[in-house]
Amino acid sequence: MAEETIFSKIIRKEIPSDMLYQDDLVTAFRDINPAMPTHILIVPNDLIPTAADVEPEHELALGRLFTVARKLAEEAGIAEDGYRLIVNCKEHGRQDVFHLHMHLLGGAKHGPMLIKKPD
Ligand code: 5GP
């Protein structure tokens, strides 16, 4: 069994967050350390540690991440100008919280996509 992270506690509302959306499959809340004017995390309710752990049975929840991202982007007023969706995976992907999540980042123009950047 994978070890729970703080995101499971946020999903269960055991610790506070700025939650914007929740249904039977996913939860969305504002990132505590925003990197852009709009920075929202969209998270499957069930613990999938990383993108490297996804299984066919997760496809409904993973698809929901995108439809909720679209809805929240529209509500945030960033849909027309656009935004970036990011899923970091494990150490080389710079994933810090091992509960798969999608970052919705917008409200300003992003730089070019990073291909490789040494520490
Ligand atoms: P990662 O690097 O794993 O892709 O992103 C983890 C994100 O979770 C980071 O952007 C970080 O700011 C955010 N984060 C970490 N702990 C918390 C928390 O307790 N609450 C909220 N709202 N965001 C968190």
Side-chain angles (χ1 to χ4, degrees):
M1 273 294 276
E3 207 171 309
E4 278 194 358
T5 73
I6 196 150
F7 286 0
S8 289
K9 294 188 172 66
I10 290 174
I11 291 162
R12 292 196 298 265
K13 299 180 178 159
E14 290 169 8
I15 63 163
S17 74
D18 192 349
M19 194 177 287
L20 301 172
Y21 180 87
Q22 186 167 53
D23 64 22
D24 56 324
L25 292 175
V26 306
T27 299
F29 49 91
R30 289 193 195 282
D31 196 291
I32 204 166
N33 186 22
M36 292 286 274
T38 296
H39 189 171
I40 297 167
L41 302 173
I42 314 168
V43 180
N45 293 340
D46 288 340
L47 173 54
I48 307 166
T50 81
D53 300 302
V54 300
E55 301 284 356
E57 73 205 51
H58 301 134
E59 285 173 2
L60 200 58
L62 297 173
R64 188 71 60 84
L65 297 181
F66 278 89
T67 51
V68 171
R70 177 191 169 171
K71 169 188 156 59
L72 294 175
E74 288 172 0
E75 287 176 7
I78 61 172
E80 197 173 322
D81 287 335
Y83 45 87
R84 187 171 275 169
L85 300 173
I86 297 175
V87 177
N88 296 323
C89 180
K90 295 191 181 176
E91 188 188 348
H92 281 193
R94 301 299 288 256
Q95 182 179 4
D96 292 321
V97 178
F98 280 66
H99 184 138
L100 187 150
H101 49 281
M102 174 185 279
H103 296 255
L104 165 60
L105 292 146
K109 189 165 182 177
H110 284 266
M113 212 27 212
L114 289 177
I115 305 298
K116 185 174 171 209
K117 181 174 173 292
D119 283 327

